[in-house]
Amino acid sequence: MRDTSFLGWPFFEERHRALAERLDAWAGANLGDIDHRDVDAACRTLVARLGKDDWLKHTAPNEDGSTRIDVRTLALVRETLARYSGLADFAFAMQGLGAGPISLFGNAAQRRAWLPKTRSGAAIAAFALTEAASGSDVANITTTARRDGDGYVLDGEKCWISNGGIADLYVVFARTGEAPGARGLSAFIVAGDNPGLSIAERIDVIAPHPLARLKFDNCRVGADTLLGKGGDGFKIAMATLDVFRTTVGAAALGFARRAMQETVARASQRQMFGGSLADLQMVQGHIADMALEIDAAALLIYRAAWTKDMGAARVSREAAMAKLYATEAAQRVIDTAVQIHGGDGVRSGHPVEMLYRDIRALRIYEGASDIQKLVIARAVLSSAER
Ligand SMILES: Cc1cc2nc3c(=O)[nH]c(=O)nc-3n(C[C@H](O)[C@H](O)[C@H](O)COP(=O)(O)OP(=O)(O)OC[C@H]3O[C@@H](n4cnc5c(N)ncnc54)[C@H](O)[C@@H]3O)c2cc1C
């Protein structure tokens, strides 16, 4: 039995509760038959299904700006999809993150050109920020965008780019040099088939999804692909992460809830020492710890989401707390779930074994846990009287 008591919390409106129930039924009926052996094909199928049944419309506002991103909805969708399938959550999330800079900073023409496609699943989106030498150290980006006639020419490489190889659009962050460091970056929309953009390497990871190193070699784009103004790139990246970071926590929460479901079922059924595993008090202690961490994570996530939805310009501290706590807690919850499953917990293809692999990268991407601590500490120190 899944725990839905959190839906009664005051962070939510009736529309959120209805959506969570509808999506749970949809995920139960639509995600079981996807063949994950070819992750590219699986992702394309997932994006198409999520688009066809209108779930992707939550990843970006209408092109005319008449709707806006609702972070509580994003978080509920990610939490629910993650409970069923890490890859389904990934496919949904990347449409939001990839199109995020266009949603937040695109002009009318850019929004019209791309958002109807990412919201329907007609175009797959990617967010290309990281480079081999600048992951956590974003301001150190070396990919360049040089002004040339009526456009720009991009040169360099991006690494660890999700949806790399299958994306129809990449938002690419490059150095335009208006100022040193973070203030000299800009963001561009680059079509997947733009000449000069190629896939230098496909990267395999422990929870596979489309992932690649991209190469930009004399890659010419029009001036109309620049998002915001030259030099806005760092601001655009951070504002986008500010919205979507909370939802990484939500995906972790979904994984943790699934681990809990599996653990409760296992502990109740498994007979040993003349009773069930769940009768043993040390197991009950583990289950209590798991429940506590899940609720604490959910409170931080929906606090951050609600704060953003209520109109806060930035929620860096709240989002960092939500992502840091939820991802670290989910790792502990899932590890305990594996332990309680005994040998079955490490059997390839068992749900908790898959969760064990699914959760790991979330503590690294969109700002590693140590980076979240820096964000929190900076916010605390700058607001404290010193
Ligand atoms: C599965 C996956 C998918 C990804 N998808 C994308 C994507 O779609 N788009 C994209 O742009 N990027 C993506 N990334 C890249 C991701 O955001 C980076 O891996 C991440 O920012 C960390 O950068 P790095 O790997 O270079 O590690 P490094 O920057 O080398 O950091 C390594 C470790 O050092 C520690 N550390 C770093 N800085 C500090 C500090 N200041 N203080 C204390 N400790 C510190 C942390 O523990 C960190 O984990 C993805 C990564 C993975 C693994």
Side-chain angles (χ1 to χ4, degrees), residues 94 127-130 135-136 159-162 209 211 361 364-366 368 370-371 374:
M94 283 312 304
F127 181 85
L129 179 66
T130 303
S136 306
C159 201
W160 300 108
I161 306 308
S162 296
H209 69 242
L211 193 63
I364 296 172
Y365 62 60
E366 291 191 41
D370 295 305
I371 298 296
L374 295 182

Side-chain angles (χ1 to χ4, degrees), residues 198-211:
S198 61
I199 305 302
E201 178 193 6
R202 290 296 297 260
I203 306 170
D204 284 333
V205 286
I206 55 175
H209 69 242
L211 193 63

Side-chain angles (χ1 to χ4, degrees), residues 202-364:
R202 290 296 297 260
I203 306 170
D204 284 333
V205 286
I206 55 175
H209 69 242
L211 193 63
R213 179 160 59 90
L214 314 178
K215 188 168 172 56
F216 298 88
D217 184 10
N218 209 20
C219 176
R220 168 175 281 282
V221 294
D224 57 351
T225 64
L226 176 70
L227 283 160
K229 298 191 305 299
D232 279 353
F234 188 78
K235 180 180 88 179
I236 292 173
M238 293 306 126
T240 305
L241 292 175
D242 217 48
V243 172
F244 289 95
R245 210 164 245 168
T246 300
T247 76
V248 179
L253 176 62
F255 292 150
R257 286 198 196 280
R258 177 65 185 270
M260 177 65 125
Q261 270 176 252
E262 297 290 334
T263 300
V264 168
R266 172 76 176 199
S268 308
Q269 285 153 17
R270 173 84 168 145
Q271 295 297 307
M272 58 202 323
F273 303 115
S276 74
L277 194 55
D279 292 332
L280 303 176
Q281 286 194 342
M282 263 197 275
V283 172
Q284 292 175 8
H286 287 312
I287 289 174
D289 288 341
M290 291 165 77
L292 185 61
E293 298 216 86
I294 286 171
D295 274 12
L299 282 163
L300 284 171
I301 289 160
Y302 291 111
R303 187 265 300 249
W306 175 85
T307 306
K308 185 72 186 169
D309 290 343
M310 290 304 109
R314 293 296 294 257
V315 288
S316 305
R317 174 175 171 272
E318 292 83 352
M321 284 186 172
K323 191 212 177 231
L324 172 65
Y325 186 81
T327 56
E328 296 286 332
Q331 183 85 63
R332 290 189 292 272
V333 165
I334 292 166
D335 188 58
T336 306
V338 168
Q339 194 71 17
I340 289 178
H341 277 76
D344 275 342
V346 291
R347 187 192 291 271
S348 293
H350 190 287
V352 295
E353 180 271 339
M354 286 159 65
L355 291 167
Y356 195 73
R357 290 184 287 107
D358 277 335
I359 186 58
R360 192 60 186 86
L362 278 64
R363 293 167 57 207
I364 296 172

